[in-house]
Amino acid sequence: MNADDKIIIADDAVIHPDDLHEDFIRSSGPGGQNVNKVATAVQLRFDAANAAGLSERVRERTIKLAGQRATKDGVIVIEAGRFRTQEQNRADARARLAELVAKAAEPPPPPRKKTRPSKGAVERRLKTKAGRGTIKKLRGRVNDD
């Protein structure tokens, strides 16, 4: 995946390279002096609120699914520092962004169909309730008449 290629996810979800901004930062974790010297982790910023390649529905769902990774302005920030090279971290961050937008571009699930219990099921339930009630009544005190 080239850095200048647009990422096509669906018809209504395309990520243009102009909407992405990458900053390289120092990675945390193990790695000795290499961690202190080399900025291999990438901080990918995607301006979802102003992205031209996203439809309104996908834009809203992307920001909602991003959660804490989205700022108040609608910019999604993804940090990737799993690997030791900039290129691998860049590809990882772009793949995670594409996965997030793809999840947002999925069509909504079909609406739930309301169902009703059959007449026979209602009658059986009421019959068993009445039976339990008579059993509990019989547990009461016995009258000597």
Side-chain angles (χ1 to χ4, degrees), residues 126-144:
L126 293 176
K127 188 177 178 182
T128 55
K129 272 180 72 121
R132 294 299 303 165
T134 56
I135 289 171
K136 290 183 177 186
K137 265 187 201 162
L138 292 174
R139 290 186 192 149
R141 291 184 182 224
V142 178
N143 290 338
D144 291 332

Side-chain angles (χ1 to χ4, degrees), residues 45-127:
R45 293 180 173 273
F46 173 59
D47 191 4
N50 300 319
L54 300 181
S55 69
E56 194 60 38
R57 181 185 69 84
V58 175
R59 177 178 294 120
E60 288 174 6
R61 287 210 52 206
T62 302
I63 293 171
K64 184 180 174 188
L65 287 173
Q68 296 228 318
R69 293 177 287 184
T71 64
K72 291 178 184 173
D73 303 327
V75 177
I76 297 172
V77 180
I78 295 177
E79 289 188 15
R82 258 191 276 189
F83 303 102
R84 286 183 65 124
T85 64
Q86 280 186 351
E87 289 305 315
Q88 284 178 311
N89 285 329
R90 174 186 277 164
D92 182 40
R94 287 175 177 251
R96 284 166 43 194
L97 176 65
E99 184 181 321
L100 176 72
V101 175
K103 191 171 184 179
E106 290 175 355
R112 179 185 168 273
K113 290 182 183 174
K114 293 182 180 178
T115 58
R116 299 180 77 185
S118 66
K119 192 173 179 182
V122 172
E123 287 175 3
R124 284 191 299 274
R125 182 179 63 85
L126 293 176
K127 188 177 178 182

Side-chain angles (χ1 to χ4, degrees), residues 7-15 53-54 57-58 98 101-102 104-107:
I7 304 167
I8 300 171
I9 294 158
D11 292 338
D12 55 350
V14 178
I15 300 172
L54 300 181
R57 181 185 69 84
V58 175
V101 175
E106 290 175 355

Side-chain angles (χ1 to χ4, degrees), residues 1-24:
M1 183 186 313
N2 193 358
D4 297 331
D5 293 342
K6 56 183 168 182
I7 304 167
I8 300 171
I9 294 158
D11 292 338
D12 55 350
V14 178
I15 300 172
H16 296 285
D18 304 339
D19 298 329
L20 299 175
H21 178 72
E22 294 172 338
D23 289 321
F24 292 98

